[in-house]
Amino acid sequence: MPRTAAPLLASHSPSPSSPNSPNSPNSSVPRAADSDRRRTNASVILRSVLEHGPVARSTIARLTGLSPASVTDYCARFTELGLIRESATPQRSKGVGRPHVPVDLDASQFLVGGVHVAVPYTTVALLDLRGRVVAERRLRHDTAGDRIEPARVLARAAEGLGALFAEAAGSTPLGVGVAAGGWVDRDSGTIVDHPLLGWREVPVREILGSRTGLPVHVDGHARALVNAERLFGRTARGSRSVLHLFVGNVVDAAFATNDEVHHGPRSQAGAIAHLPLRGGTEPCGCGRVGCLQVELSERTLCRRAREAGIVDGVNPTHVVTAAERGNPVAVRLLTQRARMVGRAAGLLLDILNPETVVVTELGVMRREDCLRALREEVGDARASAVVPTSFPDSVLAVAGGSVLLDVLYRDPLSAPPGLPPATI
């Protein structure tokens, strides 16, 4: 839980069982407001346990501003649902008084499935409640001619998830999160348009839901990674505004303020592929030159590396490997790309003025010289605000799983499959 979020989200409300609670017959608060209040308070408490656990209930009450009785009631329900458990070792406060029995997340019972659909392959993974990847596989796309068939890709993703869940015997699946680039409509669970895959109006939630029998939630990967950073990341927690810039084959962005990611009408926010990039030279299919995506994409990096004789394929990690082996041309290509990413980040900083900018880009994740080049381009005054992703070794798996985990932490009283509904 962001340290700045609790005072904004939590209300100083009485215990859910209190006679003065809005649940009482004498209350004039509408039931919809009751539901929103319970959901918000539950979210704040569970995220306090996520960030601070093992943590005493009295500490949660102090951190969130909720009453001790209310915190106790919510924690009892979370324990019943299997989301938290009491720590084995009681803690004393300054060595005096009655020992506290702290609570912590129970990461042993539940797993979520994560799916990330990229251009060359799909990543399937299992994550625990702390956003840690416990299993992961990459499934290369089969192509029918020049077309990547969505039904086949999603069928293989469902099969891959099924195999991972089977290997994790004893754990209960909570659902599946799916992340992808392009235009992704969260509300309908649809990939509306992904030009590089050639997908339009693909009902991802419907297809994967029918194949897995699990709840499925779908979102854009930049938005998913903003949520991952605020829940599980190292540097963006507590930031009042966060911009995420994703630079892969697809280039897009997401922006969050006060714990809310901006989606816009039908989730079109963050489409920056055709923003002009100063100094760009690559012709774009839209008819212009120097659009962000065509200039910064991994396809462009690999093509330039092939032209320089560094690699003979389309895998951008091979360019990084060449740089690690001391190839000066590979180093130059990566640092030049990082500078252009810094230029894009500076443009978005000028427009949105976020407190923190998180960048997911291969060179910046792997090499200090690339991060340094990016920050130099941004400028000294704002360089410290720009940080690499917190998940360099598993960013795509985390993106998929975080779509579902964000739903859980926003509404933890929605019972996991097979458990009774919450009664708070």
Side-chain angles (χ1 to χ4, degrees):
M1 182 187 71
R3 293 176 178 84
T4 58
L8 298 174
L9 291 177
S11 61
H12 295 264
S13 56
S15 165
S17 58
S18 166
N20 295 321
S21 167
N23 290 326
S24 70
N26 296 326
S27 172
S28 60
V29 180
R31 288 187 176 182
D34 293 350
S35 177
D36 289 344
R37 175 188 57 81
R38 290 193 296 269
R39 182 169 56 248
T40 298
N41 291 346
S43 175
V44 168
I45 292 169
L46 189 61
R47 288 169 62 183
S48 290
V49 178
L50 168 66
E51 181 167 358
H52 300 286
V55 59
R57 295 169 181 82
S58 59
T59 302
I60 296 173
R62 176 174 54 82
L63 290 169
T64 62
L66 292 166
S67 71
S70 183
V71 170
T72 296
D73 284 352
Y74 281 105
C75 285
R77 185 56 182 150
F78 293 153
T79 301
E80 182 183 350
L81 290 173
L83 298 176
I84 68 174
R85 61 185 174 187
E86 291 187 339
S87 177
T89 306
Q91 297 177 344
R92 287 189 178 273
S93 177
K94 298 181 180 179
V96 296
R98 188 176 180 181
H100 299 289
V101 180
V103 294
D104 201 359
L105 282 181
D106 187 349
S108 65
Q109 294 195 46
F110 299 115
L111 293 173
V112 304
V115 177
H116 180 276
V117 183
V119 175
Y121 56 82
T122 295
T123 300
V124 295
L126 302 183
L127 284 73
D128 67 14
L129 296 188
R130 289 194 174 276
R132 298 174 297 203
V133 177
V134 300
E136 179 179 357
R137 290 182 184 172
R138 285 185 175 181
L139 309 173
R140 294 204 66 84
H141 294 159
D142 294 332
T143 58
D146 293 329
R147 177 172 168 75
I148 300 171
E149 179 57 46
R152 174 60 179 155
V153 168
L154 296 175
R156 292 191 67 210
E159 293 167 4
L161 281 176
L164 293 182
F165 278 123
E167 293 171 4
S171 297
T172 301
L174 284 178
V176 179
V178 184
W183 177 4
V184 181
D185 180 12
R186 176 188 61 169
D187 292 338
S188 66
T190 301
I191 294 180
V192 180
D193 188 23
H194 196 309
L196 295 183
L197 289 175
W199 290 11
R200 287 190 59 82
E201 300 292 349
V202 177
V204 175
R205 182 168 65 201
E206 177 183 331
I207 294 172
L208 273 181
S210 65
R211 287 187 170 273
T212 63
L214 293 170
V216 176
H217 294 269
V218 187
D219 208 347
H221 56 200
R223 292 191 291 265
L225 287 168
V226 166
N227 288 324
E229 292 287 348
R230 71 177 180 80
L231 288 171
F232 315 114
R234 298 186 303 269
T235 55
R237 276 183 171 182
S239 293
R240 288 167 293 182
S241 56
V242 181
L243 170 72
H244 188 278
L245 177 58
F246 187 99
V247 182
N249 282 310
V250 173
V251 178
D252 53 16
F255 184 58
T257 56
N258 294 330
D259 204 41
E260 290 291 336
V261 178
H262 181 61
H263 283 76
R266 211 184 176 193
S267 300
Q268 292 188 73
I272 60 171
H274 295 286
L275 283 179
L277 188 60
R278 178 172 53 87
T281 60
E282 291 289 325
C284 182
C286 73
R288 294 181 292 183
V289 173
C291 292
L292 269 182
Q293 182 162 291
V294 71
E295 194 67 38
L296 299 179
S297 76
E298 290 175 350
R299 288 184 170 189
T300 301
L301 173 67
C302 289
R303 194 206 74 228
R304 291 172 175 173
R306 289 195 303 272
E307 291 172 351
I310 299 169
V311 300
D312 57 4
V314 294
N315 190 335
T317 63
H318 293 171
V319 184
V320 176
T321 300
E324 291 172 348
R325 292 172 178 169
N327 186 301
V329 180
V331 172
R332 177 175 56 81
L333 287 175
L334 289 171
T335 54
Q336 284 180 342
R337 183 178 189 235
R339 288 189 181 279
M340 295 298 274
V341 173
R343 196 166 292 179
L347 175 65
L348 295 171
L349 272 162
D350 288 340
I351 296 171
L352 297 171
N353 193 31
E355 190 173 302
T356 304
V357 178
V358 180
V359 176
T360 296
E361 189 272 337
L362 184 63
V364 172
M365 289 191 296
R366 303 287 182 86
R367 297 180 60 85
E368 284 295 325
D369 56 352
C370 289
L371 178 58
R372 187 166 55 251
L374 182 152
R375 286 174 167 167
E376 287 173 356
E377 191 65 33
V378 168
D380 291 342
R382 301 183 295 183
S384 62
V386 183
V387 296
T389 178
S390 300
F391 317 103
D393 299 321
S394 55
V395 66
L396 302 184
V398 169
S402 291
V403 176
L404 194 284
L405 287 167
D406 173 62
V407 173
L408 171 69
Y409 280 100
R410 287 189 184 277
D411 191 8
L413 293 181
S414 292
L419 293 180
T423 56
I424 285 180

